Amino acid sequence: MKAIIFDFNGTMFMDTDKQRLAWDGFFRREIGHGLTQQEFLTYACGPGNSEIMRRFCRRPLSDEDIRVLTEEKESIYRRLCAEDVENFHLVRGLPEMLDRLKAAGVPMAIATGAGKSNMDFYFASFHLKNWFGYDRVVYDDGTLPGKPDPEGYLRASACLGVPPQECVVVEDSFAGLESARRFGAGRIVAIATSNPRSALEALPGVDVVVDDFTDFDAVCGTIVPRA
């Protein structure tokens, strides 16, 4: 493997609980009730905001409606993240691994369904510029299909100049892992931050499941050299 592409939410930052609370708050105001756990995991982890809103909102939505409603939901989400100071950090072992990747010159990118306002929030909060330029981040710019469509990973591999079969993809959600499979990733690593390990191990295309990035070198040591 020559390159690595990360999902962000639930993979680099454990925020699934904040996403759930934010969607519940948003939908309680919009349609009078939140999502069930199964609805959340199946339809709200991976797909873009416009797809999620159009699926559950009971009225036609224009692009402008989606823009306004998305910012409403994401402002709730960002507030919840900032308030939970104890858990507002990258996943355990990730900063150290990113340092090793950067020092070794390993191409790496992020492919996420997050929008620009959230990516700006993450860059400022987690100092992502230490490892990634915005030219190595594929985010929802209004043209990106939601996962499980593989387009985000295709764009990420193109910006790295590395074919899919030479890329490791790290994902946490069912939709994201299916996106990685359709992309044709050379190796798919599932991280058990959002879903049970047993469920992830049973998914087609998943090569290995890890709990965090402290275990990652045992899986991908060929591209993550130690000092």
Side-chain angles (χ1 to χ4, degrees):
M1 299 295 104
K2 294 181 180 178
I4 185 165
I5 306 173
F6 300 89
D7 170 51
F8 191 83
N9 302 96
T11 297
M12 300 178 78
F13 171 44
M14 292 176 62
D15 64 342
T16 305
D17 59 331
K18 310 302 186 304
Q19 295 284 359
R20 177 66 194 269
L21 288 170
W23 278 120
D24 272 2
F26 171 82
F27 279 123
R28 286 185 192 284
R29 287 191 293 197
E30 180 66 24
I31 62 174
H33 61 82
L35 304 181
T36 67
Q37 180 70 359
Q38 190 59 47
E39 286 174 331
F40 172 72
L41 291 175
T42 303
Y43 300 116
C45 292
N49 284 348
S50 61
E51 182 178 339
I52 298 166
M53 290 174 181
R54 287 194 165 104
R55 177 181 292 275
F56 291 104
C57 290
R58 296 169 182 161
R59 59 188 175 94
L61 297 173
S62 67
D63 290 345
E64 178 61 15
D65 290 334
I66 293 291
R67 187 192 68 78
V68 171
L69 292 172
T70 290
E71 191 50 38
E72 178 184 328
K73 179 265 174 180
E74 299 304 352
S75 65
I76 297 170
Y77 161 78
R78 291 192 294 269
R79 174 179 55 78
L80 291 168
C81 289
E83 287 175 351
D84 187 7
V85 177
E86 182 179 356
N87 295 303
F88 193 42
H89 56 77
L90 296 176
V91 170
R92 187 173 63 152
L94 180 58
E96 296 82 0
M97 194 186 85
L98 292 175
D99 284 342
R100 293 195 299 275
L101 285 166
K102 182 178 178 180
V106 175
M108 52 184 176
I110 295 171
T112 177
K116 180 65 161 53
S117 59
N118 279 4
M119 286 312 305
D120 289 343
F121 176 63
Y122 303 140
F123 263 78
S125 302
F126 300 134
H127 308 291
L128 295 181
K129 67 179 181 181
N130 290 340
W131 307 290
F132 301 94
Y134 250 110
D135 62 330
R136 297 295 177 93
V137 178
V138 177
Y139 58 87
D140 185 3
D141 61 355
T143 69
L144 186 69
K147 298 171 183 176
D149 191 289
E151 178 63 21
Y153 285 113
L154 290 167
R155 294 186 190 184
S157 68
C159 82
L160 294 176
V162 178
Q165 64 270 22
E166 293 292 342
C167 293
V168 174
V169 168
V170 191
E171 264 283 1
D172 70 302
S173 71
F174 297 137
L177 289 161
E178 175 61 15
S179 174
R181 188 187 70 81
R182 295 183 188 180
F183 163 63
R187 178 171 290 177
I188 299 175
V189 179
I191 185 164
T193 56
S194 307
N195 294 291
R197 172 181 282 267
S198 58
L200 296 172
E201 289 173 340
L203 292 176
V206 171
D207 293 294
V208 69
V209 180
V210 297
D211 295 316
D212 55 38
F213 290 95
T214 60
D215 299 330
F216 204 86
D217 287 346
V219 178
C220 295
T222 55
I223 67 163
V224 192
R226 286 192 176 277

